[in-house]
Amino acid sequence: DGINEYLLGEPVVQQLIFNEDFTIDAYTIDSPERITHGTICAGIIKHYYPEIYMYSLKILSDTLRGNIQKLYSALEWCVQNDIQVVNISLGSHCSADLLETQRVINKVAGQGLVIVSAASNHDYITYPASFSNVIGVKREVSNTLHEGEFYLNDNIIDGIEFTAFARHHLNGKECSNSNSFAAPMITAKVCELIGKSHLTNLQQIKLMLSKMANNYRDDKHLFICYADPDWISDILVCYVNGKCKLDNRNLCVNIHGEIVVPAESAYEAVDAALLAYNENIETLVVISRDLYPDAYVELQWIASKYNKNVVFIDNYQGKDMNKIVNNQCTNIKLWHSLFKIHNIYTLNSTPLLIEE
């Protein structure tokens, strides 16, 4: 609903409205007294990190009805106009929107856009907030946090990674305790990390955020292990010691290449393949029945070298995540079905592998 520059106390760079016919027009709020949702969000971000340039993209009607296609257009506009961080206060619960929203989010995230999104206030799984390529935020309800504080969530079932303080004080008034007002504080933290630490990799931004959380512990596999490999879009498939059938019917993926390698030389073969496919893929999918334990860590090293995420699909029956996870590869995402027995739950239980 736009930003009231009078109340914000400073101009924004640009305010636009995305119309129903998908044209884009300039948008202004003429009334100096009109308090909008966007104004409050902008005020929270400025309160915690004022050294930013602010844009406002209005995609909801005056009755707060939305079209998911306008969200896609707005995100594409952000990429085309070199926006670094987006704060989103809306989402969809509709399963029909899931795959297309996932595709768009993965595309713009791959182009460097960092998205912070508020979860549903009714505790529904919400997209895009619940996606791995988004920083999902919800409000704190236990009244244990103070201004500027947040928690890293444990046992992330809904994909929402952070719980943050929302009752900020702006111009002598307290914000309501809603997810939409928790997310902008995290957005400000992200902007500060980018501005002061020059971080651009989403994984490393999440890792640094987790270290800033009030409940941070250094014994967690923080933002390396993911419950759902929903980020994968462009992949290289590596079959170790024989080929299986990859069932990708429920995934928005493009398979750019497939290689079959012996276990004893998997490292060298994958290194060569990633070099060849480096410009086209973002995830390495390793399918194996008998990968030796050290290979998990070694393959993550090589994937990290090329900034590629890793999905392991195999029949590993061990119970020690330390045999799987390379904690030094903080710039990549990792998925293995083993994570589901370590209080990491998946939103999509559809099997990825069908053996021939």
Side-chain angles (χ1 to χ4, degrees):
D1 55 357
I3 297 174
N4 189 328
E5 297 173 299
Y6 301 102
L7 295 179
L8 185 64
E10 59 183 271
V12 299
V13 177
Q14 200 169 11
Q15 293 209 70
L16 300 173
I17 180 171
F18 286 69
N19 301 307
E20 293 300 322
D21 60 0
F22 297 102
T23 58
I24 304 174
D25 293 319
Y27 181 78
T28 57
I29 296 176
D30 296 326
S31 171
E33 298 180 354
R34 182 182 171 192
I35 301 175
T36 66
H37 183 95
T39 304
I40 298 173
C41 291
I44 294 168
I45 296 170
K46 284 282 189 180
H47 177 70
Y48 288 100
Y49 189 65
E51 300 171 27
I52 58 171
Y53 297 103
M54 190 82 70
Y55 294 74
S56 172
L57 306 183
K58 175 178 166 63
I59 64 173
L60 295 182
S61 68
D62 290 337
T63 58
L64 301 182
R65 303 296 296 176
N67 181 322
I68 195 69
Q69 295 295 328
K70 290 201 289 184
L71 173 61
Y72 304 158
S73 298
L75 292 173
E76 293 284 0
W77 184 95
C78 290
V79 170
Q80 294 166 7
N81 289 273
D82 299 319
I83 304 300
Q84 292 178 289
V85 182
V86 173
N87 182 89
I88 298 178
S89 294
L90 52 83
S92 173
H93 314 305
C94 179
S95 60
D97 297 330
L98 175 59
L99 289 181
E100 180 63 11
T101 305
Q102 178 181 324
R103 185 193 67 79
V104 172
I105 292 297
N106 288 343
K107 178 183 176 182
V108 297
Q111 293 170 313
L113 188 65
V114 179
I115 302 170
V116 182
S117 184
S120 165
N121 284 320
H122 302 290
D123 296 323
Y124 300 134
I125 290 178
T126 314
Y127 302 104
S130 294
F131 286 135
S132 301
N133 268 334
V134 173
I135 300 173
V137 186
K138 60 185 176 182
R139 71 193 184 280
E140 175 263 342
V141 295
S142 60
N143 295 325
T144 58
L145 292 175
H146 301 91
E147 290 209 31
E149 296 180 342
F150 60 95
Y151 291 135
L152 171 65
N153 294 331
D154 291 321
N155 300 339
I156 303 172
I157 300 174
D158 56 3
I160 306 303
E161 297 141 327
F162 295 101
T163 293
F165 183 85
R167 303 181 310 279
H168 317 280
H169 287 86
L170 302 177
N171 299 323
K173 296 183 179 180
E174 183 178 277
C175 299
S176 62
N177 194 28
S178 74
N179 293 341
S180 290
F181 299 148
M185 190 194 77
I186 298 298
T187 299
K189 303 287 186 183
V190 170
C191 291
E192 184 174 7
L193 285 172
I194 293 174
K196 293 184 178 180
S197 302
H198 306 292
L199 294 178
T200 57
N201 179 281
L202 178 61
Q203 285 304 104
Q204 293 175 334
I205 289 172
K206 287 186 177 184
L207 180 62
M208 291 304 297
L209 276 175
S210 67
K211 291 182 177 180
M212 297 163 62
N214 283 41
N215 61 336
Y216 169 71
R217 299 198 322 264
D218 61 5
D219 60 343
K220 295 182 179 180
H221 297 292
L222 297 168
F223 296 114
I224 298 171
C225 308
Y226 275 78
D228 190 1
D230 60 8
W231 71 80
I232 64 176
S233 56
D234 295 281
I235 67 175
L236 170 67
V237 183
C238 173
Y239 301 95
V240 180
N241 285 352
K243 191 170 182 178
C244 301
K245 183 179 179 181
L246 181 65
D247 180 7
N248 62 339
R249 290 171 296 179
N250 294 297
L251 298 172
C252 299
V253 298
N254 301 307
I255 300 176
H256 289 269
E258 296 179 282
I259 60 173
V260 181
V261 303
E264 61 272 13
S265 60
Y267 184 94
E268 293 80 5
V270 168
D271 191 3
L274 287 177
L275 179 62
Y277 288 97
N278 188 36
E279 298 298 322
N280 300 317
I281 69 163
E282 105 291 321
T283 295
L284 170 69
V285 176
V286 179
I287 300 177
S288 172
R289 294 187 181 91
D290 49 2
L291 198 63
Y292 61 93
D294 290 345
Y296 293 102
V297 172
E298 292 175 359
L299 288 174
Q300 286 168 73
W301 275 122
I302 198 63
S304 177
K305 171 184 170 182
Y306 294 97
N307 203 36
K308 306 303 178 187
N309 306 310
V310 183
V311 167
F312 287 113
I313 303 173
D314 57 33
N315 59 357
Y316 177 72
Q317 299 299 317
K319 297 296 185 288
D320 186 0
M321 286 181 65
N322 292 313
K323 298 290 186 182
I324 300 290
V325 180
N326 186 338
N327 276 319
Q328 302 303 310
C329 299
T330 59
N331 61 319
I332 66 173
K333 302 182 186 76
L334 176 65
W335 183 87
H336 190 287
S337 58
L338 175 68
F339 300 162
K340 289 186 288 184
I341 67 172
H342 286 270
N343 296 323
I344 301 176
Y345 300 95
T346 179
L347 302 179
N348 180 5
S349 59
T350 304
L352 298 176
L353 180 64
I354 297 177
E355 295 191 1
E356 292 183 327

